[in-house]
Amino acid sequence: MNLHVIIGEDDFLVAEAARRAMKDFIVEEIDSGAATNAEAQLKEIAKARESFLSQPLFDPNKATWWRNVKFLPGADKLAENVKEALEDFARTLAEYPLPENQIFVLSGPKLLKTSIFAKALADIAEFTVFAPLTGRAAIEQAVVAAIDFAAEEGFQFDSGAAEAFIAKVGLDMRSIRSETAKLRCYLEPERKTATRADVAAIVSPGAGVEPNFWAITDAIGARNAEKAISAAMEFAGESNFAVMISGAIERFFRQLIDLERIADTLAPFQVRNLQNFRRNWNPNELRAARFRFLNLRERAVASGGEATGDLIATEIVRACKGRIKP
């Protein structure tokens, strides 16, 4: 089919699918991402219609990519005249089949599949829908993507390394792609396998992911206060240092306490790590440690992040060295 509809909220996945569909075509882009009112949206529909109906003259082939269409049926507060214009355009798309040397791609974050617009295109367009995923499903999708990107770069992940990579990078596909390429550059040319040590050495947190506090929480999980303090002090120059560190440690203890309830939202290797760490603590110790770090974070927030590294170190020592009866 020469007519493609690509729906999804992950811009990277949508863009990759669009580029695959338009491979070897001369692309004319119409970016409607800034069309936030009915007047602007009607103008964007008119541009898309004009491009669709204009056959290639001097180029051997032509692709129109109408992208970032955030006002498809299913979007919030869609004006009635915009809805009608879209339905009319869908009829135009159905009435005028494209020649072999022309492609039309429509992409946007949402589309109501039961709408008149979607039903009009159902039999004439190839639909690609990236449904939003959460919890374990989102993690598994990201791990598969990392493995695929690594294969494209000419290497593979060692056992557990892909999961560690995603836990550090996060679920943003653009970040996964760029960090995979960076990992390839880090590896020596003859090396074809990336280990967890490689991931820890070079990979950075992706979009929306907090700085990596694993070294701190892993040491605390093992009740190694000296190692935990040393890792924490590496962040001492960061803005809101005490808020970040106390918050990360409080969250770590909360995960240990609630592990059975949250296990389905974590990667399998994260669950295994937390299970191993929890063997070093009894329930009362976990609750007391979480309470202290929660209080410390609240104090740090109230003081504008002025809590010192000494307070962080004191609470780490108290948590790791203290023993509370179950």
Side-chain angles (χ1 to χ4, degrees):
M1 288 185 177
N2 286 12
L3 182 60
H4 297 261
V5 178
I6 305 172
I7 304 298
E9 297 185 12
D10 189 310
D11 292 341
F12 182 83
L13 290 176
V14 170
E16 287 290 294
R19 293 189 178 101
R20 285 194 297 269
M22 301 181 297
K23 184 180 179 181
D24 301 326
F25 278 71
I26 307 299
V27 180
E28 175 184 335
E29 290 190 21
I30 302 171
D31 190 337
S32 297
T36 57
N37 58 62
E39 181 180 359
Q41 292 164 0
L42 291 171
K43 288 180 179 178
E44 295 299 300
I45 296 171
K47 290 180 188 177
R49 180 191 296 273
E50 180 181 359
S51 183
F52 171 78
L53 294 174
S54 300
Q55 295 186 3
L57 297 177
F58 303 106
D59 296 321
N61 49 47
K62 172 190 174 183
T64 298
W65 183 11
W66 189 21
R67 63 184 303 183
N68 292 329
V69 187
K70 300 175 182 178
F71 49 89
L72 296 174
D76 296 334
K77 300 179 181 179
L78 185 63
E80 190 63 30
N81 57 348
V82 173
K83 180 181 176 182
E84 292 173 357
L86 285 168
E87 293 172 358
D88 182 63
F89 183 39
R91 287 189 288 270
T92 299
L93 293 172
E95 291 172 4
Y96 297 94
L98 289 169
E100 292 184 0
N101 65 336
Q102 192 172 351
I103 281 180
F104 189 90
V105 178
L106 163 64
S107 67
K110 296 179 181 180
L111 173 60
L112 183 63
K113 65 179 182 180
T114 57
S115 64
I116 295 174
F117 179 84
K119 288 180 178 179
L121 302 179
D123 295 330
I124 62 170
E126 180 176 331
F127 278 75
T128 302
V129 179
F130 296 102
L133 300 176
T134 59
R136 182 68 62 81
I139 294 171
E140 291 175 352
Q141 175 183 265
V143 169
V144 170
I147 292 171
D148 290 344
F149 292 152
E152 292 177 13
E153 295 288 345
F155 73 97
Q156 62 183 4
F157 285 101
D158 197 8
S159 176
E163 290 83 355
F165 177 89
I166 292 305
K168 190 170 184 181
V169 175
L171 305 181
D172 177 70
M173 286 293 172
R174 197 175 302 278
S175 298
I176 294 171
R177 188 72 178 93
S178 63
E179 289 299 315
T180 306
K182 186 171 78 173
L183 184 56
R184 172 66 273 178
C185 293
Y186 171 79
L187 298 173
E188 296 176 358
E190 65 274 13
R191 288 187 60 194
K192 303 298 182 183
T193 301
T195 66
R196 291 187 64 176
D198 296 322
V199 170
I202 193 62
V203 172
S204 302
V209 178
E210 292 182 350
N212 179 21
F213 299 119
W214 282 6
I216 304 171
T217 54
D218 282 3
I220 289 174
R223 302 193 82 135
N224 188 328
E226 182 178 355
K227 189 174 180 180
I229 293 169
S230 175
M233 290 309 108
E234 293 183 8
F235 295 90
E238 299 286 340
S239 176
N240 291 322
F241 158 73
V243 176
M244 288 194 307
I245 301 301
S246 57
I249 297 173
E250 184 275 327
R251 184 166 57 251
F252 172 69
F253 282 118
R254 181 165 18 107
Q255 287 179 326
L256 291 178
I257 293 168
D258 297 336
L259 184 55
E260 282 75 17
R261 183 175 60 80
I262 67 172
D264 287 344
T265 68
L266 303 173
F269 92 97
Q270 290 177 293
V271 175
R272 291 194 297 272
N273 283 350
L274 290 171
Q275 288 172 335
N276 290 333
F277 290 139
R278 198 167 65 172
R279 295 189 183 101
N280 299 324
W281 303 78
N282 67 51
N284 285 343
E285 289 175 326
L286 292 176
R287 286 191 289 269
R290 185 202 167 194
F291 178 77
R292 287 197 292 267
F293 278 99
L294 182 61
N295 279 347
L296 180 57
R297 184 182 184 281
E298 291 176 352
R299 288 167 59 190
V301 171
S303 65
E306 294 300 324
T308 67
D310 289 342
L311 288 176
I312 296 288
T314 297
E315 291 299 346
I316 289 176
V317 170
R318 180 181 296 177
C320 293
K321 299 301 184 183
R323 290 285 179 175
I324 300 176
K325 293 182 179 181

